[in-house]
Amino acid sequence: MPPEPDTAVIDDEREAAAADAWEVTGNPYLAGVYEPVTDERTDDNLEVIGEIPDDLEGVYVRNGPNPRYSAPGRYHWFDGDGMLHALRFKDGRASYRNRWVRTRAFDEEAKVHDALFAGVMENPRDNPPLGLRLPLKDSANTDLVVFRQRLLALWYLAGEPYSLDPVTLENLGVDDFEGTRPCLVSAHAKVDEQTGELLFFDYGPVRPYMRYGVVGPLGTVTHLADIELPGPRLPHDMAATEHYSILMDLPLVADPVAARQGRHKIMFDDSLPARFGVIPRHGAADEIRWFEADPCYVYHSINAWEEGDEIVLDLCRVTKPAPRQGAVGPLAKMLSYLRLDAHLYRYRFNLQTGATSEGYLDDDNTEFPTMNTSMLGRPTRYAYNMRISDEPTLLFDGIVKYDTSTGASTRHWFGPGRWGAEAPFAPRRGSAAEDDGYVVSFVHDENEGRSEVVILDAADIAAGPVGRVLLRGRVPIGFHACWVREDRLASA
Ligand SMILES: [Fe+2]
């Protein structure tokens, strides 16, 4: 087991210098490789270096913030309108399209051709009412899941799930789960591809602070449980095994005073433990069992499964999510929180004894993990994590393929000035083994000011791309991605 990484190492001078520069140059999350695009494109027959394998068919889609109008006040990278960028692979060719998610807030702003919503770093008191829990713009910009042949675009503060066609990116409106949706849905709902169920959670500033639910394969809510937490929290992800779901009560908490005033303010309280709630997939609220662990924060889980009396949970763990010191100026808090410092980590929760064991599997700084989603909830060995560079903003300089049974890894570096995106696993047609397929990633080349998609053989990512699809438009750095299998498309 590698030693605990030293997360206290902070390059104060470098970060302070960068912050000084941003005072002059503006918000770095609106410039360079983050700069929003202004058009919606459809580009067919894209140029390829190498080849697109014949057995790679489906759609790679990534979500991310792309503000259409410039809002007054400070822009937080999490504020931008959701935009999907999709690459369709079919018959050895690739086509690209990008579309905004037509959220209700997006439509309101479109009517007046101007921004109406202040972001999370400003006071949202004067934002137009949308009838939602928070007075913030639900941008659906965070995550994507594939459910019932549709994409669902989800928001990290829990919002309305927006449905889109995975091939055309046509907006299909809010999914109300056939009229049964009882609450909002956070980013990082999980789909069990073997049962066809969607597992989700909702959270907010008022009791019970969290809800957990299941949507059945017919698209209606089949289960809902109120999860009482000690106070308002900011969970970001969940996990699931074949028979259990795992919910998180982590000591990154919403400041209760600010929350009562409708403001969004977070704090890390390391006097509190991290708690993981294990609940039977269709269990009642009082069947949840909480396992305590060392304080930490978790943005993203990888997978979980049952092993004898134990639940195994692999994830990327942030030891100290409090802002790093050094950044100054009006954007300091955002810039600091976005300097992720996360490591591959494994928990074991013993259902017989109630004991937790935990430890690092590696000491490299990686996040935005993916896995073979057809094996969600079942034992897996492989994770594909993005390696976090030392740059002052969040940029991924490589992909690390982990064997989580040993912590061993292989990697692919994108190259100088080239930054990747969350890279889902795309099974080869007829795929048999867990890593029998590809990983695909948008790459943003700041040297040439253009974007591409690299295709790596998942069994050997160190060999470099088998194909590179060159895009005619630019794809800004963003958030989460998914792979839509060809046989999950409506036309299949
Ligand atoms: Fe996330």
Side-chain angles (χ1 to χ4, degrees):
M1 188 77 62
E4 178 167 328
D6 181 1
T7 55
V9 175
I10 298 162
D11 189 343
D12 286 357
E13 269 186 30
R14 183 176 181 192
E15 192 154 333
D20 285 348
W22 294 329
E23 288 287 300
V24 176
T25 60
N27 191 319
Y29 284 99
L30 286 170
V33 292
Y34 300 93
E35 184 180 356
V37 294
T38 57
D39 57 344
E40 296 182 318
R41 308 174 61 102
T42 302
D43 295 325
D44 295 323
N45 294 316
L46 297 168
E47 184 182 346
V48 179
I49 298 173
E51 64 169 8
I52 297 173
D54 288 341
D55 54 7
L56 176 64
E57 288 196 327
V59 190
Y60 169 39
V61 199
R62 203 218 65 202
N63 201 347
N66 195 91
R68 188 179 192 189
Y69 302 108
S70 179
R74 291 167 297 174
Y75 173 74
H76 192 293
W77 195 33
F78 294 174
D79 289 340
D81 300 297
M83 178 179 270
L84 306 193
H85 301 264
L87 210 74
R88 172 91 196 272
F89 295 94
K90 178 82 172 166
D91 301 327
R93 290 198 294 272
S95 57
Y96 164 85
R97 64 182 72 195
N98 67 311
R99 298 291 185 271
W100 268 292
V101 184
R102 259 62 179 183
T103 63
R104 291 202 283 147
F106 183 95
D107 287 343
E108 290 299 308
E109 293 188 335
K111 287 178 193 167
V112 297
H113 306 286
D114 201 359
L116 294 172
F117 294 82
V120 295
M121 288 197 291
E122 301 296 338
N123 191 331
R125 185 184 50 211
D126 296 328
N127 283 350
L130 288 173
L132 301 177
R133 179 184 300 134
L134 300 172
L136 292 164
K137 174 196 272 191
D138 175 354
S139 60
N141 69 6
T142 312
D143 189 26
L144 285 171
V145 295
V146 186
F147 182 56
R148 302 184 76 232
Q149 301 179 329
R150 297 281 183 260
L151 296 169
L152 292 181
L154 305 173
W155 190 43
Y156 75 108
L157 286 172
E160 296 181 302
Y162 282 88
S163 178
L164 297 99
D165 183 284
V167 172
T168 64
L169 300 188
E170 178 189 358
N171 277 267
L172 302 171
V174 173
D175 190 341
D176 68 354
F177 301 150
E178 307 293 335
T180 66
R181 184 165 57 81
C183 56
L184 300 175
V185 176
S186 174
H188 299 299
K190 304 294 178 195
V191 173
D192 184 332
E193 296 179 20
Q194 299 189 27
T195 67
E197 291 172 302
L198 177 82
L199 317 173
F200 70 93
F201 68 101
D202 177 25
Y203 70 96
V206 297
R207 292 182 67 185
Y209 304 114
M210 183 183 281
R211 282 179 170 152
Y212 158 71
V214 181
V215 186
L218 298 180
T220 57
V221 172
T222 55
H223 184 69
L224 186 71
D226 287 351
I227 307 298
E228 285 278 353
L229 301 181
R233 299 288 185 263
L234 287 160
H236 186 72
D237 203 348
M238 60 177 290
T241 72
E242 186 176 353
H243 299 103
Y244 297 91
S245 288
I246 304 169
L247 304 167
M248 302 190 206
D249 168 16
L250 305 173
L252 192 70
V253 304
D255 183 309
V257 175
R260 277 195 294 275
Q261 297 168 350
R263 291 185 295 122
H264 177 62
K265 183 180 177 188
I266 56 178
M267 51 187 277
F268 183 57
D269 183 352
D270 64 3
S271 69
L272 298 173
R275 299 198 311 148
F276 295 85
V278 177
I279 184 170
R281 180 172 293 189
H282 303 100
D286 60 5
E287 293 182 79
I288 195 167
R289 293 184 60 185
W290 290 100
F291 291 81
E292 292 198 356
D294 293 342
C296 69
Y297 191 67
V298 176
Y299 283 99
H300 302 118
S301 67
I302 299 169
N303 195 21
W305 60 87
E306 296 149 34
E307 204 172 276
D309 292 335
E310 292 183 323
I311 303 276
V312 179
L313 171 61
D314 287 349
L315 47 70
C316 297
R317 178 180 186 266
V318 179
T319 308
K320 293 174 184 170
R324 298 187 191 197
Q325 303 302 308
V328 294
L331 303 176
K333 199 163 185 179
M334 172 184 76
L335 299 170
S336 298
Y337 268 106
L338 289 172
R339 293 286 306 276
L340 289 186
D341 198 352
H343 309 277
L344 185 68
Y345 203 80
R346 174 168 286 183
Y347 291 96
R348 288 178 177 274
F349 308 119
N350 190 305
L351 294 168
Q352 287 297 319
T353 66
T356 300
S357 62
E358 57 182 302
Y360 290 92
L361 294 174
D362 191 39
D363 58 3
D364 204 355
N365 185 4
T366 66
E367 241 289 349
F368 284 70
T370 67
M371 45 83 67
N372 183 335
T373 56
S374 69
M375 300 175 71
L376 183 106
R378 284 74 179 176
T380 50
R381 269 182 75 180
Y382 300 117
Y384 308 91
N385 294 18
M386 303 310 296
R387 186 182 183 279
I388 298 173
S389 74
D390 294 329
E391 296 295 315
T393 57
L394 184 62
L395 290 168
F396 305 133
D397 58 12
I399 302 178
V400 180
K401 178 188 180 184
Y402 279 116
D403 180 341
T404 59
S405 69
T406 63
S409 61
T410 56
R411 59 196 63 207
H412 167 70
W413 299 103
F414 297 116
R418 288 165 56 86
W419 312 109
E422 184 170 270
F425 172 78
R428 192 189 306 277
R429 190 192 314 114
S431 169
E434 182 185 339
D435 61 350
D436 186 15
Y438 306 92
V439 289
V440 289
S441 175
F442 285 109
V443 172
H444 320 265
D445 190 320
E446 68 179 26
N447 306 308
E448 301 186 20
R450 61 169 183 78
S451 301
E452 63 186 67
V453 171
V454 296
I455 305 163
L456 301 166
D457 181 344
D460 186 10
I461 67 165
V466 296
R468 295 167 55 197
V469 182
L470 306 185
L471 305 183
R472 297 178 196 134
R474 195 172 55 78
V475 177
I477 302 282
F479 300 141
H480 294 289
C482 68
W483 177 260
V484 191
R485 293 164 46 146
E486 187 73 13
D487 59 5
R488 299 296 163 91
L489 298 175
S491 57

